[in-house]
Amino acid sequence: GEPFLEKWIREGNLCIVLPKRRHKFTHWKAVIWIYALVMFGLYFIRIFENSFWGDEGFTIKLAKMSVEEMMVTTANDVHPPLYYLIMQIFCRIFGFNSIVYHLVSIIPYGLMLILCMTVVWKCFGKETAAVMITCSSLLTSAIDNIMDVRMYSWAALFVLLSFLSLYKILYDNRIKDYAIFVIVSLAAAYVHYYCLISVTFFYIVLILVTIIKEHKRNFRVATTCIATIVGYLPWFFVLLKTFQRTSNNYWLAGIATVKESLYFLFCSRYQEILAIVFLIMVIVYLLRTSSIVKISCKSKMFSKITIDLSSPKINTEMIWVLAGCLSIFGTMGIGIGVSIIFRPMFQIKYLFPVATVAWVILGVCVSKLKLKNLISLCLIAIILLSGIPQYYLTYT
């Protein structure tokens, strides 16, 4: 019956006249700012919590030490010192109490929201900003880690800043963007060792782009790499000792799978759906952006899809998205690979910082679609349905 109905419609037997749209909603910025402030408020009221688990107690213990004693203690543990140093600075200024401990963790979350409403909005649009705000606020991994008196919210901020700085470098090639890239990448590496792995893949892509395509960047990229190496060299030998020690004896027992790691990027009640949507969106984005798949309007009712494998195109944004994907899956691969070869040294929560990269990429891929408003709203609705009950359980 469907072909006959279609033929009947095509012959003009059905005519629907829609009224012209007279008003276009122009207050999205204000609406999403309010949305971001509500999300921040939900976290801010949690700074008055006064219960801490084991690792948080370790953070508080290190915060009360001298700088020298803290450096030695964390060198003998499994984390770099920057987060503990930040905690010491705040506690010495505002005092040693539960509010200050949580305040240190909520600051990077607030900065991430501001980044979403400024840099992310300007570069990629409101859909990417809204998706990013929702993911960074109401996914289960965010609810569990942002307010922890641990380094994960700072690590997420620095990895996100590094990824966005790479975007600016690829597009603008300004000296200040290279400087920011070095600073935030070093900060990420000094907060968590797995962040060092994540940002290293950004450098690899930058070096490859320079060698293959942009020779005029040679000096700036070489200087950037040398500055980063020199900046991390003081702690590099501590890293080697930590790796040697943990490869012989470490408390972790199980090895995370690729599936578990992928699901953690969108940790929630609907993590399987969100992970599949993420992969599909990335594949569709890459196929369309590279012009391997072309969609052209053949008529008002039909579109023509053609596949051309002869000469794929690679633009700057596509390189940046590929760099993000390489960082995500590279961090997973190294964590799982090292755990298999030596001994378990990888928890899926170590992926929380690089998950911010996945959220931005998802938002960017959605923003390139014709139905971007509808799709982004559906994604946000799914995360809200999962995140609000989870947040309430955590709050209570």
Side-chain angles (χ1 to χ4, degrees):
E2 191 278 331
F4 290 103
L5 177 62
E6 185 178 324
K7 181 175 182 295
W8 183 70
I9 294 171
R10 280 169 174 269
E11 289 174 349
N13 295 308
L14 180 65
C15 182
I16 300 174
V17 179
L18 296 175
K20 291 183 178 180
R21 186 168 60 179
R22 296 179 180 179
H23 302 286
K24 185 178 180 181
F25 190 74
T26 57
H27 304 291
W28 282 115
K29 193 98 175 183
V31 169
I32 300 179
W33 262 116
I34 293 170
Y35 179 58
L37 288 171
V38 169
M39 292 296 110
F40 182 78
L42 291 176
Y43 280 88
F44 185 78
I45 59 177
R46 289 175 59 193
I47 69 171
F48 304 102
E49 177 193 355
N50 191 28
S51 61
F52 304 96
W53 62 288
D55 284 359
E56 291 179 310
F58 184 70
T59 297
I60 296 167
K61 182 180 178 181
L62 264 66
K64 294 179 179 179
M65 296 178 180
S66 66
V67 174
E68 295 78 12
E69 190 180 3
M70 179 272 290
M71 288 284 191
V72 172
T73 304
T74 194
N76 292 325
D77 189 46
V78 291
H79 292 297
L82 181 58
Y83 166 71
Y84 299 122
L85 185 61
I86 293 170
M87 179 65 78
Q88 284 190 334
I89 292 170
F90 273 86
C91 288
R92 278 159 175 74
I93 295 173
F94 300 106
F96 293 86
N97 59 71
S98 60
I99 294 177
V100 176
Y101 302 147
H102 288 300
L103 186 65
V104 174
S105 295
I106 200 175
I107 287 172
Y109 169 66
L111 293 174
M112 280 196 290
L113 295 180
I114 293 171
L115 275 174
C116 290
M117 294 304 301
T118 53
V119 177
V120 173
W121 185 299
K122 182 179 178 181
C123 294
F124 311 111
K126 66 179 184 298
E127 294 80 17
T128 307
V131 169
M132 180 67 189
I133 289 167
T134 308
C135 289
S136 60
S137 301
L138 289 176
L139 288 176
T140 305
S141 55
I143 295 169
D144 290 344
N145 288 290
I146 284 175
M147 292 303 296
D148 251 11
V149 185
R150 297 294 288 161
M151 67 286 298
Y152 295 103
S153 59
W154 284 96
L157 172 66
F158 289 136
V159 171
L160 176 62
L161 281 169
S162 182
F163 189 46
L164 294 175
S165 299
L166 177 65
Y167 177 85
K168 290 291 186 180
I169 288 172
L170 292 174
Y171 268 94
D172 300 328
N173 195 33
R174 297 176 301 185
I175 293 175
K176 73 173 186 179
D177 294 323
Y178 285 95
I180 294 170
F181 185 58
V182 171
I183 293 168
V184 296
S185 297
L186 280 172
Y190 271 105
V191 164
H192 201 284
Y193 289 132
Y194 275 93
C195 292
L196 170 63
I197 296 170
S198 299
V199 299
T200 297
F201 285 104
F202 300 154
Y203 281 84
I204 291 171
V205 171
L206 186 59
I207 292 168
L208 289 175
V209 169
T210 305
I211 293 172
I212 298 170
K213 188 178 178 183
E214 300 284 348
H215 299 293
K216 63 182 180 181
R217 300 175 186 261
N218 284 345
F219 178 75
R220 291 184 181 182
V221 172
T223 304
T224 299
C225 294
I226 292 169
T228 307
I229 292 169
V230 171
Y232 201 72
L233 206 57
W235 198 259
F236 180 71
F237 298 103
V238 177
L239 168 60
L240 291 180
K241 290 180 182 178
T242 302
F243 179 77
Q244 185 179 11
R245 186 176 66 253
T246 52
S247 62
N248 294 324
N249 182 29
Y250 196 46
W251 63 272
L252 285 176
I255 299 175
T257 64
V258 175
K259 183 179 178 180
E260 289 171 342
S261 301
L262 181 62
Y263 285 172
F264 181 79
L265 298 176
F266 300 95
C267 186
S268 63
R269 191 192 306 169
Y270 306 108
Q271 58 191 16
E272 296 93 341
I273 296 172
L274 292 170
I276 292 169
V277 168
F278 170 71
L279 293 175
I280 291 172
M281 289 291 178
V282 170
I283 292 169
V284 170
Y285 170 83
L286 294 176
L287 290 175
R288 292 192 64 180
T289 306
S290 62
S291 296
I292 291 175
V293 172
K294 297 178 182 178
I295 302 174
S296 57
C297 293
K298 190 174 180 182
S299 66
K300 290 184 178 181
M301 298 195 66
F302 290 101
S303 295
K304 183 181 179 183
I305 299 175
T306 56
I307 298 175
D308 182 11
L309 299 173
S310 59
S311 56
K313 298 176 183 177
I314 299 177
N315 62 25
T316 303
E317 187 181 82
M318 185 177 172
I319 292 171
W320 178 71
V321 169
L322 287 171
C325 292
L326 183 63
S327 177
I328 294 164
F329 294 105
T331 305
M332 282 184 197
I334 290 177
I336 295 171
V338 167
S339 298
I340 293 172
I341 295 170
F342 297 97
R343 64 169 294 107
M345 298 183 198
F346 174 67
Q347 280 186 295
I348 54 174
K349 73 180 296 182
Y350 296 161
L351 291 172
F352 179 69
V354 80
T356 57
V357 175
W359 305 337
V360 173
I361 290 175
L362 175 62
V364 170
C365 293
V366 169
S367 70
K368 303 301 177 182
L369 301 174
K370 287 185 177 181
L371 298 176
K372 58 185 179 181
N373 290 337
L374 178 62
I375 295 172
S376 57
L377 283 172
C378 289
L379 287 172
I380 290 168
I382 289 172
I383 297 169
L384 288 172
L385 284 171
S386 171
I388 291 175
Q390 182 62 40
Y391 172 85
Y392 180 73
L393 288 173
T394 304
Y395 174 80
T396 52

